[in-house]
Amino acid sequence: MNSAMMQNWNDTFEAWKSYIEARNNLFLKYANELEVLIRHGYSTKANDEIHLRYFALDVLKHSSDEQKIQFLPLLISDVSSPKYSTIAREIILSLPQNYLMENIERESEFVLKNDDFLDWVNILSLFEDIHPVIAVRLAKRMVNHSNADLIEWGNEYLTEKNIS
């Protein structure tokens, strides 16, 4: 192997270890302020600060379930985001199954009320990953929606699952 490449590998590994240590220190020193810090990173809108949002999501990913639950509405809104959907879904799906089964539909309502097609479709996909029963309920709601595209998507989903 090329020595410059190995040096870069080793430098990157050392930086990664330093990051993990710093993140762990953040949890230890500022456990009570983590919500405020995550919200700060989450509220960042400027393009040059996008990495702060990713950092906030990474901290949230390694937080307790209780802290993740506090951010569930924001995470659900990210399910349709090209930038954040993968990590948002990962964090949501890391929550206890029984909690999600009891709360995810209610927590998703504020996003669904915007009637954005992609939100409905992506939340349906998320629900399918959580449990098919809640996905079917959402698909049935889609069939009764006023948006023709949502009706079609809901019908296709139910047909695919052999549900009438």
Side-chain angles (χ1 to χ4, degrees):
M1 278 190 244
N2 167 324
S3 65
M5 178 179 64
M6 283 308 298
Q7 184 60 51
N8 189 270
W9 172 265
N10 291 333
D11 291 347
T12 303
F13 177 66
E14 290 303 317
W16 176 77
K17 287 187 341 187
S18 294
Y19 166 70
I20 299 299
E21 183 179 335
R23 188 183 65 209
N24 289 342
N25 285 334
L26 184 69
F27 280 99
L28 290 172
K29 291 180 181 178
Y30 300 102
N32 295 331
E33 290 87 6
L34 272 180
E35 180 182 351
V36 172
L37 294 170
I38 293 169
R39 285 197 190 283
H40 168 70
Y42 222 91
S43 66
T44 301
K45 300 288 185 207
N47 286 336
D48 59 0
E49 303 260 349
I50 195 168
H51 299 295
L52 187 57
R53 174 85 169 266
Y54 280 117
F55 174 61
L57 285 163
D58 186 64
V59 170
L60 185 57
K61 177 181 172 182
H62 293 91
S63 296
S64 68
D65 286 346
E66 292 77 23
Q67 287 172 318
K68 292 174 189 173
I69 287 169
Q70 290 177 331
F71 288 89
L72 189 56
L74 291 172
L75 290 165
I76 292 168
S77 68
D78 276 347
V79 167
S80 295
S81 166
K83 294 176 187 168
Y84 310 116
S85 62
T86 301
I87 191 166
R89 287 176 68 94
E90 184 181 339
I91 294 168
I92 293 167
L93 293 172
S94 74
L95 290 169
Q97 177 79 8
N98 62 339
Y99 176 83
L100 290 174
M101 289 295 294
E102 293 173 12
N103 296 285
I104 195 71
E105 290 172 283
R106 178 178 40 79
E107 294 287 348
S108 299
E109 281 306 312
F110 86 99
V111 174
L112 295 175
K113 75 178 179 182
N114 294 326
D115 283 335
D116 181 272
F117 176 78
L118 286 177
D119 287 338
W120 279 79
V121 169
N122 287 313
I123 289 173
L124 177 64
S125 172
L126 174 67
F127 283 13
E128 176 71 24
D129 288 344
I130 294 168
H131 199 284
V133 168
I134 61 174
V136 167
R137 282 197 295 258
L138 185 60
K140 287 181 177 180
R141 285 182 58 195
M142 292 168 88
V143 168
N144 293 311
H145 200 280
S146 60
N147 181 311
D149 292 330
L150 288 175
I151 293 168
E152 181 180 350
W153 198 273
N155 277 323
E156 285 180 23
Y157 180 87
L158 295 172
T159 300
E160 180 184 296
K161 302 295 180 186
N162 295 317
I163 297 169
S164 52

